[in-house]
Amino acid sequence: MNIIKQDNNIFILETENTHYVIGIDEIGYNHHIHWGKKCNPADYYINDIGDENSNHTMLDEYRQELTPFGQTMYRDCDIKAEFDDKCREINLEYIGSSSTKDTLSLTFADKYYPLEITLHYQIFEGLDIIKRYSTLKNTGTGKICFERISSAQFNLPSVKPYTFRNTNGAWGGEFIESNNILDGGYTIFESRRGASNHNNSPYFIAYQNADENTGDVYFASLAYSGNFKVSCSRDLYGVTRVVVGMNDFDFSHTLNGGESLDTPPVYCGYTQGFGDMTRQMNRFCVNHLLPKQFNNETLPVLYNSWEATEFAVNVKQQTELARLAAKMGVELFVMDDGWFGQRKNDRAGLGDWYVNKEKFPNGLDELINAVNELGMDFGIWVEPEMVNADSDLFRAHPDWAYHYPNRKACELRNQLVLNMTREDVQDYIFNVLDDLLSNHNIKYVKWDMNRPFSETGAENLENPKMYSYLHTMAVYSIVDKLKELHPDVAIESCASGGGRCDLGALSHYDQAWTSDNTDGIDRMTIQKGYSLLRPTKTMRAWVTDIAGINKPCSLDFRFAVAMQGSLGIGGDLTKYSVEDLEICKKNIEIYKQIRDIVQFGDLYRVLDIEKDEVLLNQYVSEDKSKAVAFLLANGTRFYKKRIPVCFKGLDDNKQYKLTVQNKTYEKSGAYLAAIGIPLHIRGVDYNEVIQIEEV
Ligand code: DGJ
């Protein structure tokens, strides 16, 4: 790992296996030179930009790290601004660099106007991940109004088309993979809904001839939970570029004199195959991105009451659920929606964060104490950014929700979005949550957010189009402040399932709720999408009573799916038979033996449920002494003969022991990877959790 600065103003970011190379030419223009395998540093040089004619401009061909709007730049730019005198051109020149052993900053200033832009890069020991972001600074006294601010631009090396993998999901079907070949024009992945949403993910994965283990894979993930835009393009010269950052939809950002803005960071990398991409990002997130309190801790097995009791929570039935959960080995009991205000259904109560006395006549502590006496921690659900019109909060402060005075605001799920850009709203939310955590022994908060934004009028702001950015920053800052004051409380990001689990959210929250779809079969696909560029341990996965909507599956099967993240239980345990409770207990015990490997290990997606009809996901400990493989199938379509099932990611030279289909084998890592074990996988509800150990 190194930052190499050459005499000819060429900067090389040397990661574990890659080079990322930038150059500054004599006239101060920035050039992207290379991203990919390492070459001899002395060979890098700045290419001629080429000729111009009346319609072919020099800038058309240019590969840049930073493209401001101006001159003859017609493609997607990184930064577009209007200065005080209405000039909309930015004209930058290079003014200098600074570097340490793992960071590089390149600064540019406008030739006339008071705008300075610094590009920041950071590399990380043992990884091929690069962090990028920019700082925009208004060095004058007047205003600068930005219409577009990206975090980074990427130029991909090959002139052949790349395929872009993203997710094309929805509520209940998050992270469903999509793959688009980009031959020419633009492909956009974005959110316009206020938060990062269930549909597209704020990242790109661009690949050529790639599978899990081979082929060129370029990726970059934006750490931002507001409206984002990933704009991918391929021009006539075959150059594929991607601009990643905040969405310019319904957006502008004002910097007054002396103010500056750090853009949300992007984490990017180049790997051979999707598998290494996932493993790099997983390690990076655990070691460098997740909040420090719990990044190195194994997450507890939790129980969540939502699917069992919905809004009808009360002290008696929650205590009964807690008793059953404790018996099976659950470590954290989380009471979901319904405990506060007049919350009998989703039509009332949001915003009134006081305990409902009909449901909890003696307050929350009666339940919390019972849970603690059963040996479990207690967690609670909140939805701080929202308000029901039927609530004391809204009656007292109707102006606290985003609105336009002469427009009716849409009430999706009967609720409105609080204007978190207001300081009084921020103070109210912070104080309510701080009181809750200060007055009760709560160790876990599930922070939900159940609707997208609309009618985002914010009269308090001079520039209301900054709402998505300011709202997002306010949420992050409240979460950070709560964590600082209550360092033993873990916080989960939930947004109607997986509507806000981008790397921005995961820089502040400790984990995320993946999807409201807890169907064991659907989850295999949803979890694969989650796993691509998000860390395993943040993926909360519950076993519930949804026993396969289209293809029934057993409790064991559902456990084998949910154990591939941070395990939770969410069924109505009061209806479970003695045998079912025993199955839960057995599986929770197994999970406790393997969760270190799952939560911190390297994931190898060996067989894909969509393509192979069989799922084999294998998690391998960092020292390769242990692994756990989840082998699942539910109704293979044709009579499957024995197939050799290979186990990946092990040490070729180590000897391992594993038991599968009731037979124990002792084989080397090399044998298991190349030859494997012939297994007969057929029928419905096939599931095995295979523990592999070095002998
Ligand atoms: C949506 C979440 O995804 C669910 O898990 C649950 O917490 C409900 N909201 C509660 O309203």
Side-chain angles (χ1 to χ4, degrees), residues 171 304 306 311 336-337 343 381 383 413 446 448 450 494-497 513 515-516 542:
W171 173 83
N304 179 291
W306 174 245
F311 301 98
D336 211 280
D337 201 346
R343 188 75 167 164
W381 178 96
E383 191 175 359
R413 209 196 192 206
K446 176 176 174 185
D448 204 346
N450 279 304
C494 170
S496 286
W513 178 223
S515 175
D516 281 343
W542 310 341

Side-chain angles (χ1 to χ4, degrees), residues 339 353 380 382 384 425-442 445 447 477-489 491:
W339 59 270
W353 301 108
I380 201 156
V382 289
V425 173
Q426 294 168 17
D427 290 347
Y428 171 76
I429 291 172
F430 170 74
N431 289 329
V432 158
L433 295 175
D434 183 38
D435 284 352
L436 194 65
L437 299 180
S438 304
N439 297 330
H440 303 285
N441 189 19
I442 294 174
V445 172
W447 178 310
S477 131
I478 294 176
V479 173
D480 290 351
K481 263 203 293 180
L482 289 171
K483 290 184 133 251
E484 209 182 305
L485 292 173
H486 307 279
D488 54 346
V489 178
I491 310 189

Side-chain angles (χ1 to χ4, degrees), residues 327-345:
K327 259 183 142 175
M328 58 177 64
V330 166
E331 298 156 308
L332 167 70
F333 182 86
V334 183
M335 176 166 62
D336 211 280
D337 201 346
W339 59 270
F340 52 89
Q342 295 309 307
R343 188 75 167 164
K344 296 197 177 71
N345 47 45

